[in-house]
């Protein structure tokens, strides 16, 4: 599935690439997402998917919106034992 998506040229996967910070860059009517990796390099994308827990995602976003802060900051985890 991954290789099929990449062949379209519309999708890029960056697996195993730790991120340090995520920035939103607005210009005119376009918003880009810039991801700073652990070496300090910036990578620009149209959209990104956070593959982590909510607390980590919130810490990565440099200036979270009120909605992001509300949603990601109110996730509660429970130790659930299913028998």
């Amino acid at each position: 599935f991954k290789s099929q998506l990449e062949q379209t040229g519309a999708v890029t996967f960056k697996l195993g690439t730790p991120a340090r910070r995520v920035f939103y860059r607005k210009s005119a009517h376009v918003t880009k997402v810039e991801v700073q990796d652990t070496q300090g390099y910036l990578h620009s994308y149209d959209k990104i998917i956070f593959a982590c827990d909510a607390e980590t995602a919130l810490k990565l976003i440099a200036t979270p919106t009120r909605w992001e802060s509300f949603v990601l900051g109110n996730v509660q985890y429970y130790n659930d034992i299913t028998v």
Side-chain angles (χ1 to χ4, degrees):
F1 181 71
K2 177 181 173 276
S3 61
Q4 289 175 331
L5 286 174
E6 286 182 322
Q7 287 175 359
T8 66
V11 176
T12 302
F13 288 90
K14 295 283 188 181
L15 305 175
T17 307
R20 177 180 292 158
R21 212 71 168 143
V22 174
F23 304 93
Y24 298 115
R25 301 287 185 217
K26 296 181 182 181
S27 61
H29 301 290
V30 178
T31 300
K32 291 284 189 179
V33 183
E34 288 189 340
V35 179
Q36 182 183 39
D37 64 23
T38 54
Q39 295 180 348
Y41 296 106
L42 287 175
H43 307 274
S44 184
Y45 303 99
D46 294 326
K47 295 179 184 323
I48 62 169
I49 297 173
F50 288 96
C52 58
D53 60 271
E55 182 180 350
T56 302
L58 186 57
K59 287 179 183 177
L60 285 171
I61 301 170
T63 52
T65 64
R66 288 198 301 181
W67 180 246
E68 289 167 332
S69 295
F70 175 75
V71 171
L72 296 172
N74 285 300
V75 173
Q76 296 180 0
Y77 298 95
Y78 298 95
N79 289 327
D80 185 19
I81 299 173
T82 305
V83 179

